[in-house]
Amino acid sequence: SAEHADEAVKTVQSVTASDIWAKAGSAKQVLREVPYTWLKKEKPRGPVLESGVMDLVFEEDDGWVIVDYKTGGMDKEKYRPQLEAYKEAWESMGCGGVKEIGILWVDEGKYEILT
């Protein structure tokens, strides 16, 4: 909506001005807003259908990088399970090895690597 336009523009500017965005720009492949659904085999409950959307995924010579955008407080441990789930899904679906997962803290313009 129009009332959130200024905030949306600031968010886009922060993301596109970040070092990780520039790094992705020189990657072999770059994917944005990547939806996924996969059947995760859990024990003892059985299979679980998991789905989500990865904000930024890009391929470098030595593996894939998965980046999630976050606003608000910079508590990486709060979001670690989400990023680990993205990594597990990516690799389990046969998309390739993930060498790095990280969070772009949009409000701060800082990128933090979790692995």
Side-chain angles (χ1 to χ4, degrees):
S1 68
E3 67 186 72
H4 298 293
D6 288 341
E7 184 178 332
V9 168
K10 286 179 187 176
T11 299
V12 170
Q13 288 172 334
S14 177
V15 169
T16 57
S18 69
D19 291 341
I20 195 67
W21 184 266
K23 185 177 178 182
S26 61
K28 294 168 65 173
Q29 282 190 79
V30 181
L31 306 168
R32 296 167 189 89
E33 297 298 316
V34 182
Y36 75 94
T37 301
W38 75 292
L39 192 60
K40 182 177 183 178
K41 296 185 175 28
E42 295 242 340
K43 293 180 182 177
R45 297 183 327 189
V48 175
L49 192 61
E50 180 180 289
S51 62
V53 178
M54 300 177 204
D55 292 331
L56 177 64
V57 181
F58 60 93
E59 183 184 17
E60 297 186 312
D61 290 335
D62 56 345
W64 288 88
V65 177
I66 299 175
V67 179
D68 198 48
Y69 309 145
K70 297 294 182 194
T71 58
M74 294 176 58
D75 180 4
K76 70 180 181 183
E77 294 309 315
K78 177 180 178 181
Y79 299 108
R80 184 178 295 279
Q82 177 186 1
L83 274 288
E84 292 288 348
Y86 288 169
K87 177 181 178 180
E88 182 182 4
W90 190 262
E91 292 178 341
S92 295
M93 292 185 297
C95 298
V98 175
K99 71 170 196 167
E100 179 179 310
I101 55 174
I103 299 173
L104 175 59
W105 301 104
V106 176
D107 296 340
E108 307 294 325
K110 294 181 181 176
Y111 178 66
E112 187 170 12
I113 298 171
L114 300 181
T115 60

